[in-house]
Amino acid sequence: MSALRAVIFDFFGTLTRSVRRGPQHAEIARALGCDPEVVRGVLDRTFHSRAKGAFGSAEATLRWVSEQAGGRPRPAQLRAAVPARVDALKADTQLRLDAVSALTEIRGRGLATALISDCTHELPAFLPSLPVAGLLDASVFSVEVGFCKPDPRIYLTACERLGVRPEECVYVGDGGSHELTGAEAVGMTAVRLAAPDLADHLVFGRDTRFRGAAVDSLTELLTLIDRRPVLV
């Protein structure tokens, strides 16, 4: 087993608690002249395409979603909806109580940390305002690189930015987007976060084939990490 040099995290449902869309999303849909439930359906079935940046900028993506839902929003409505959606996604996001302490402990062990997230334009906009931002040595956002988990390139991009090899990494995620088996496929050690609150987590592409290690909390993850030799 290679010495450990880095721990890489998923964001939604891993560094955060369970995520569900709050009421602000319905307000945004109505402001764009759309039925909120129709918009919800468009968002759900197009998540991975949007997370790859397939429809362009944040404003262009909102226009596309609105038109798919039957709306014809004016430019001013779209411009107002972009920051509103950032606020809505941020409102949906509650960091785990042990996220900051776990990242601090991991870095204190001499390990690098990174984030890999299948996300749309909003997460890169609000992540810098969160307490975990300064505890991450690299962040890879699908909407910026153009591919989602489990594409090997997204894991290898994180490794390249950290200057490590996949076999020197632990990857931690709740299992959306087939991320755990994807991490294993490139040589990482994958760990499922199986926190109790994830029973109602909004997830796309649940990784049902993963049979590896699982922890109930990020604090418990530290015990598992300490079983690996660390290269410093």
Side-chain angles (χ1 to χ4, degrees):
M1 181 180 291
S2 297
L4 183 61
R5 297 182 62 194
V7 183
I8 301 175
F9 293 86
D10 169 49
F11 184 70
F12 296 107
T14 301
L15 290 179
T16 79
R17 290 182 57 81
S18 171
V19 174
R20 297 193 67 79
R21 293 191 186 105
Q24 289 173 259
H25 295 275
E27 296 170 7
I28 294 168
R30 294 187 189 98
L32 293 171
C34 302
D35 182 323
E37 287 305 311
V38 177
V39 170
R40 181 190 297 270
V42 174
L43 292 175
D44 286 350
R45 68 175 178 265
T46 66
F47 171 72
H48 285 106
S49 294
R50 292 183 295 107
K52 293 176 185 177
F55 307 111
S57 67
E59 185 172 323
T61 300
L62 273 177
R63 180 187 299 110
W64 184 88
V65 168
S66 300
E67 290 173 350
Q68 295 299 303
R72 293 293 182 268
R74 297 187 300 275
Q77 291 173 303
L78 288 166
R79 286 194 297 271
V82 170
R85 185 163 162 80
V86 173
D87 290 344
L89 265 291
K90 186 175 181 180
D92 295 341
T93 301
Q94 180 184 359
L95 290 176
R96 293 194 177 278
L97 294 178
D98 56 353
V100 169
S101 61
L103 285 167
T104 301
E105 290 279 348
I106 289 167
R107 289 166 62 91
R109 286 159 167 76
L111 298 170
T113 59
L115 174 73
I116 298 177
S117 181
D118 283 357
C119 63
T120 48
H121 298 277
E122 294 77 20
L123 179 57
F126 73 75
L127 180 70
S129 69
L130 300 182
V132 295
L135 298 171
L136 296 166
D137 297 299
S139 295
V140 182
F141 304 111
S142 64
V143 73
E144 294 181 348
V145 297
F147 35 82
C148 292
K149 297 174 279 191
D151 189 313
R153 293 175 294 176
I154 203 163
Y155 305 98
L156 298 178
T157 297
C159 290
E160 181 180 355
R161 292 181 182 180
L162 292 175
V164 300
R165 294 180 288 120
E167 55 268 30
E168 297 171 329
C169 301
V170 166
Y171 179 85
V172 188
D174 63 278
S177 297
H178 305 288
E179 62 185 350
L180 302 171
T181 49
E184 286 184 327
V186 299
M188 294 180 177
T189 299
V191 178
R192 184 193 296 275
L193 179 66
D197 63 281
L198 293 173
D200 64 349
H201 179 51
L202 177 64
V203 62
F204 301 98
R206 192 179 301 277
D207 207 336
T208 57
R209 295 181 291 116
F210 179 69
R211 297 293 181 269
V215 294
D216 291 334
S217 69
L218 297 178
T219 301
E220 185 182 345
L221 172 69
L222 299 173
T223 302
L224 187 151
I225 287 172
D226 286 341
R227 297 173 187 165
R228 287 277 296 270
V230 175
L231 180 63
V232 296

